[in-house]
mmCIF file of all heavy atoms in Angstrom:
data_model
loop_
_atom_site.group_PDB
_atom_site.id
_atom_site.type_symbol
_atom_site.label_atom_id
_atom_site.label_comp_id
_atom_site.label_asym_id
_atom_site.label_seq_id
_atom_site.Cartn_x
_atom_site.Cartn_y
_atom_site.Cartn_z
ATOM 1 N N ALA A 9 -2.347 2.882 -1.008
ATOM 2 C CA ALA A 9 -2.836 2.890 -2.146
ATOM 3 C C ALA A 9 -4.081 3.913 -2.349
ATOM 4 O O ALA A 9 -4.118 4.697 -3.330
ATOM 5 C CB ALA A 9 -3.338 1.616 -2.755
ATOM 6 N N GLU A 10 -4.944 3.933 -1.388
ATOM 7 C CA GLU A 10 -6.128 4.788 -1.424
ATOM 8 C C GLU A 10 -5.591 6.274 -1.398
ATOM 9 O O GLU A 10 -6.075 7.152 -2.075
ATOM 10 C CB GLU A 10 -7.122 4.519 -0.232
ATOM 11 C CG GLU A 10 -7.798 3.226 -0.546
ATOM 12 C CD GLU A 10 -8.720 2.930 0.653
ATOM 13 O OE1 GLU A 10 -8.713 3.532 1.690
ATOM 14 O OE2 GLU A 10 -9.515 1.972 0.505
ATOM 15 N N LEU A 11 -4.742 6.558 -0.513
ATOM 16 C CA LEU A 11 -4.226 7.947 -0.455
ATOM 17 C C LEU A 11 -3.420 8.337 -1.661
ATOM 18 O O LEU A 11 -3.689 9.503 -2.060
ATOM 19 C CB LEU A 11 -3.266 8.019 0.946
ATOM 20 C CG LEU A 11 -3.982 7.929 2.281
ATOM 21 C CD1 LEU A 11 -2.948 7.741 3.386
ATOM 22 C CD2 LEU A 11 -4.815 9.164 2.475
ATOM 23 N N ASN A 12 -2.756 7.428 -2.216
ATOM 24 C CA ASN A 12 -1.866 7.907 -3.394
ATOM 25 C C ASN A 12 -2.990 8.091 -4.574
ATOM 26 O O ASN A 12 -2.791 8.944 -5.351
ATOM 27 C CB ASN A 12 -0.967 6.734 -3.802
ATOM 28 C CG ASN A 12 0.382 6.935 -3.082
ATOM 29 O OD1 ASN A 12 0.859 8.048 -3.003
ATOM 30 N ND2 ASN A 12 0.933 5.885 -2.657
ATOM 31 N N SER A 13 -3.982 7.363 -4.554
ATOM 32 C CA SER A 13 -5.151 7.534 -5.560
ATOM 33 C C SER A 13 -5.764 8.952 -5.343
ATOM 34 O O SER A 13 -5.973 9.639 -6.362
ATOM 35 C CB SER A 13 -6.163 6.526 -5.591
ATOM 36 O OG SER A 13 -5.664 5.179 -5.923
ATOM 37 N N GLN A 14 -6.050 9.259 -4.107
ATOM 38 C CA GLN A 14 -6.689 10.563 -3.897
ATOM 39 C C GLN A 14 -5.636 11.679 -4.179
ATOM 40 O O GLN A 14 -6.140 12.688 -4.899
ATOM 41 C CB GLN A 14 -7.095 10.668 -2.463
ATOM 42 C CG GLN A 14 -8.102 9.750 -2.040
ATOM 43 C CD GLN A 14 -8.419 9.810 -0.443
ATOM 44 O OE1 GLN A 14 -7.434 9.880 0.264
ATOM 45 N NE2 GLN A 14 -9.605 9.711 -0.124
ATOM 46 N N LEU A 15 -4.407 11.435 -3.948
ATOM 47 C CA LEU A 15 -3.360 12.496 -4.192
ATOM 48 C C LEU A 15 -3.284 12.722 -5.723
ATOM 49 O O LEU A 15 -3.188 13.798 -6.370
ATOM 50 C CB LEU A 15 -2.015 12.080 -3.644
ATOM 51 C CG LEU A 15 -0.826 13.063 -3.830
ATOM 52 C CD1 LEU A 15 -1.255 14.461 -3.287
ATOM 53 C CD2 LEU A 15 0.346 12.570 -3.080
ATOM 54 N N ARG A 16 -3.300 11.570 -6.523
ATOM 55 C CA ARG A 16 -3.298 11.689 -7.973
ATOM 56 C C ARG A 16 -4.382 12.402 -8.587
ATOM 57 O O ARG A 16 -4.323 13.203 -9.515
ATOM 58 C CB ARG A 16 -3.070 10.321 -8.643
ATOM 59 C CG ARG A 16 -1.744 9.741 -8.536
ATOM 60 C CD ARG A 16 -1.461 8.535 -9.419
ATOM 61 N NE ARG A 16 -2.442 7.613 -9.234
ATOM 62 C CZ ARG A 16 -2.368 6.413 -8.370
ATOM 63 N NH1 ARG A 16 -1.310 6.326 -7.671
ATOM 64 N NH2 ARG A 16 -3.320 5.506 -8.253
ATOM 65 N N LEU A 17 -5.639 12.221 -8.054
ATOM 66 C CA LEU A 17 -6.736 12.987 -8.570
ATOM 67 C C LEU A 17 -6.653 14.458 -8.142
ATOM 68 O O LEU A 17 -6.910 15.352 -9.119
ATOM 69 C CB LEU A 17 -8.060 12.349 -7.871
ATOM 70 C CG LEU A 17 -9.300 13.180 -8.208
ATOM 71 C CD1 LEU A 17 -9.614 12.972 -9.716
ATOM 72 C CD2 LEU A 17 -10.479 12.579 -7.342
ATOM 73 N N VAL A 18 -6.213 14.748 -7.040
ATOM 74 C CA VAL A 18 -6.046 16.167 -6.732
ATOM 75 C C VAL A 18 -5.014 16.856 -7.585
ATOM 76 O O VAL A 18 -5.202 17.939 -8.123
ATOM 77 C CB VAL A 18 -5.699 16.348 -5.189
ATOM 78 C CG1 VAL A 18 -5.256 17.785 -4.871
ATOM 79 C CG2 VAL A 18 -6.854 15.951 -4.272
ATOM 80 N N GLU A 19 -3.867 16.157 -7.841
ATOM 81 C CA GLU A 19 -2.838 16.646 -8.608
ATOM 82 C C GLU A 19 -3.386 16.776 -10.118
ATOM 83 O O GLU A 19 -3.055 17.891 -10.772
ATOM 84 C CB GLU A 19 -1.654 15.770 -8.644
ATOM 85 C CG GLU A 19 -0.906 15.846 -7.332
ATOM 86 C CD GLU A 19 0.210 14.815 -7.230
ATOM 87 O OE1 GLU A 19 0.147 13.832 -8.022
ATOM 88 O OE2 GLU A 19 1.150 15.063 -6.408
ATOM 89 N N ALA A 20 -4.193 15.910 -10.574
ATOM 90 C CA ALA A 20 -4.721 16.030 -11.903
ATOM 91 C C ALA A 20 -5.695 17.262 -11.963
ATOM 92 O O ALA A 20 -5.789 17.997 -13.072
ATOM 93 C CB ALA A 20 -5.503 14.782 -12.274
ATOM 94 N N ARG A 21 -6.512 17.417 -10.947
ATOM 95 C CA ARG A 21 -7.289 18.576 -11.013
ATOM 96 C C ARG A 21 -6.555 19.860 -10.981
ATOM 97 O O ARG A 21 -6.913 20.932 -11.550
ATOM 98 C CB ARG A 21 -8.360 18.543 -9.839
ATOM 99 C CG ARG A 21 -9.358 17.468 -10.089
ATOM 100 C CD ARG A 21 -10.623 17.588 -9.158
ATOM 101 N NE ARG A 21 -11.493 16.619 -9.497
ATOM 102 C CZ ARG A 21 -12.604 16.466 -8.841
ATOM 103 N NH1 ARG A 21 -12.935 17.178 -7.868
ATOM 104 N NH2 ARG A 21 -13.541 15.464 -9.187
ATOM 105 N N LEU A 22 -5.467 19.989 -10.195
ATOM 106 C CA LEU A 22 -4.638 21.131 -10.185
ATOM 107 C C LEU A 22 -4.061 21.466 -11.583
ATOM 108 O O LEU A 22 -4.056 22.575 -12.013
ATOM 109 C CB LEU A 22 -3.568 21.013 -9.165
ATOM 110 C CG LEU A 22 -3.963 21.228 -7.704
ATOM 111 C CD1 LEU A 22 -2.873 20.697 -6.781
ATOM 112 C CD2 LEU A 22 -4.267 22.690 -7.517
ATOM 113 N N VAL A 23 -3.610 20.443 -12.174
ATOM 114 C CA VAL A 23 -2.993 20.592 -13.650
ATOM 115 C C VAL A 23 -4.178 21.072 -14.572
ATOM 116 O O VAL A 23 -3.926 21.858 -15.311
ATOM 117 C CB VAL A 23 -2.411 19.234 -14.021
ATOM 118 C CG1 VAL A 23 -2.078 19.301 -15.560
ATOM 119 C CG2 VAL A 23 -1.164 18.988 -13.302
ATOM 120 N N ALA A 24 -5.271 20.430 -14.471
ATOM 121 C CA ALA A 24 -6.430 20.882 -15.278
ATOM 122 C C ALA A 24 -6.802 22.232 -14.985
ATOM 123 O O ALA A 24 -7.327 22.954 -15.940
ATOM 124 C CB ALA A 24 -7.617 19.881 -15.154
ATOM 125 N N SER A 25 -6.699 22.697 -13.820
ATOM 126 C CA SER A 25 -7.216 24.163 -13.504
ATOM 127 C C SER A 25 -6.168 25.163 -13.881
ATOM 128 O O SER A 25 -6.458 26.335 -14.009
ATOM 129 C CB SER A 25 -7.573 24.267 -12.119
ATOM 130 O OG SER A 25 -6.476 24.195 -11.206
ATOM 131 N N ALA A 26 -4.845 24.766 -14.118
ATOM 132 C CA ALA A 26 -3.845 25.661 -14.332
ATOM 133 C C ALA A 26 -4.125 26.504 -15.618
ATOM 134 O O ALA A 26 -3.962 27.719 -15.604
ATOM 135 C CB ALA A 26 -2.498 24.991 -14.347
ATOM 136 N N PRO A 27 -4.396 25.823 -16.702
ATOM 137 C CA PRO A 27 -4.651 26.625 -17.972
ATOM 138 C C PRO A 27 -5.755 27.712 -17.804
ATOM 139 O O PRO A 27 -5.748 28.905 -18.252
ATOM 140 C CB PRO A 27 -4.958 25.673 -19.020
ATOM 141 C CG PRO A 27 -4.402 24.351 -18.520
ATOM 142 C CD PRO A 27 -4.468 24.475 -16.960
ATOM 143 N N ALA A 28 -6.811 27.356 -17.048
ATOM 144 C CA ALA A 28 -7.919 28.269 -16.858
ATOM 145 C C ALA A 28 -7.479 29.433 -16.028
ATOM 146 O O ALA A 28 -7.916 30.642 -16.340
ATOM 147 C CB ALA A 28 -9.043 27.449 -16.217
ATOM 148 N N GLN A 29 -6.668 29.114 -15.052
ATOM 149 C CA GLN A 29 -6.163 30.335 -14.275
ATOM 150 C C GLN A 29 -5.240 31.191 -15.070
ATOM 151 O O GLN A 29 -5.295 32.450 -14.930
ATOM 152 C CB GLN A 29 -5.420 29.751 -13.033
ATOM 153 C CG GLN A 29 -6.320 29.063 -12.045
ATOM 154 C CD GLN A 29 -5.595 28.508 -10.814
ATOM 155 O OE1 GLN A 29 -4.397 28.373 -10.914
ATOM 156 N NE2 GLN A 29 -6.284 28.034 -9.881
ATOM 157 N N LEU A 30 -4.412 30.615 -15.922
ATOM 158 C CA LEU A 30 -3.591 31.502 -16.665
ATOM 159 C C LEU A 30 -4.366 32.377 -17.628
ATOM 160 O O LEU A 30 -4.016 33.538 -17.838
ATOM 161 C CB LEU A 30 -2.584 30.586 -17.515
ATOM 162 C CG LEU A 30 -1.534 29.924 -16.709
ATOM 163 C CD1 LEU A 30 -0.690 28.942 -17.641
ATOM 164 C CD2 LEU A 30 -0.604 30.890 -16.122
ATOM 165 N N HIS A 31 -5.394 31.746 -18.149
ATOM 166 C CA HIS A 31 -6.228 32.474 -19.038
ATOM 167 C C HIS A 31 -6.947 33.656 -18.368
ATOM 168 O O HIS A 31 -7.113 34.733 -18.876
ATOM 169 C CB HIS A 31 -7.369 31.543 -19.719
ATOM 170 C CG HIS A 31 -8.243 32.210 -20.705
ATOM 171 N ND1 HIS A 31 -7.788 32.756 -21.854
ATOM 172 C CD2 HIS A 31 -9.629 32.515 -20.554
ATOM 173 C CE1 HIS A 31 -8.854 33.299 -22.422
ATOM 174 N NE2 HIS A 31 -9.972 33.189 -21.777
ATOM 175 N N GLN A 32 -7.382 33.500 -17.137
ATOM 176 C CA GLN A 32 -8.099 34.420 -16.335
ATOM 177 C C GLN A 32 -7.164 35.634 -16.026
ATOM 178 O O GLN A 32 -7.560 36.678 -15.808
ATOM 179 C CB GLN A 32 -8.675 33.871 -15.036
ATOM 180 C CG GLN A 32 -9.817 32.917 -15.316
ATOM 181 C CD GLN A 32 -10.339 32.332 -14.048
ATOM 182 O OE1 GLN A 32 -9.696 32.394 -13.054
ATOM 183 N NE2 GLN A 32 -11.337 31.542 -14.272
ATOM 184 N N THR A 33 -5.875 35.195 -15.766
ATOM 185 C CA THR A 33 -4.960 36.432 -15.318
ATOM 186 C C THR A 33 -4.253 37.129 -16.421
ATOM 187 O O THR A 33 -3.570 38.167 -16.104
ATOM 188 C CB THR A 33 -3.892 35.670 -14.436
ATOM 189 O OG1 THR A 33 -3.136 34.736 -15.184
ATOM 190 C CG2 THR A 33 -4.465 35.115 -13.160
ATOM 191 N N ARG A 34 -4.431 36.636 -17.625
ATOM 192 C CA ARG A 34 -3.783 37.404 -18.704
ATOM 193 C C ARG A 34 -4.493 38.748 -18.949
ATOM 194 O O ARG A 34 -5.764 38.830 -18.926
ATOM 195 C CB ARG A 34 -3.884 36.606 -20.000
ATOM 196 C CG ARG A 34 -2.987 35.464 -20.110
ATOM 197 C CD ARG A 34 -2.947 34.817 -21.376
ATOM 198 N NE ARG A 34 -2.108 33.639 -21.463
ATOM 199 C CZ ARG A 34 -2.241 32.616 -22.286
ATOM 200 N NH1 ARG A 34 -3.007 32.712 -23.257
ATOM 201 N NH2 ARG A 34 -1.401 31.677 -22.303
#
């Protein structure tokens, strides 16, 4: 459960950072 919680947080941060990266590369 702890590992899955950590994984979900990392995945959420990756999703949150994706729009910022797209904006930077345009």
Side-chain angles (χ1 to χ4, degrees):
E10 287 177 351
L11 288 168
N12 276 319
S13 293
Q14 291 174 321
L15 183 57
R16 283 193 306 269
L17 176 62
V18 169
E19 289 172 339
R21 288 197 178 175
L22 281 167
V23 168
S25 71
Q29 290 175 352
L30 287 175
H31 181 68
Q32 291 173 354
T33 58
R34 286 188 184 159

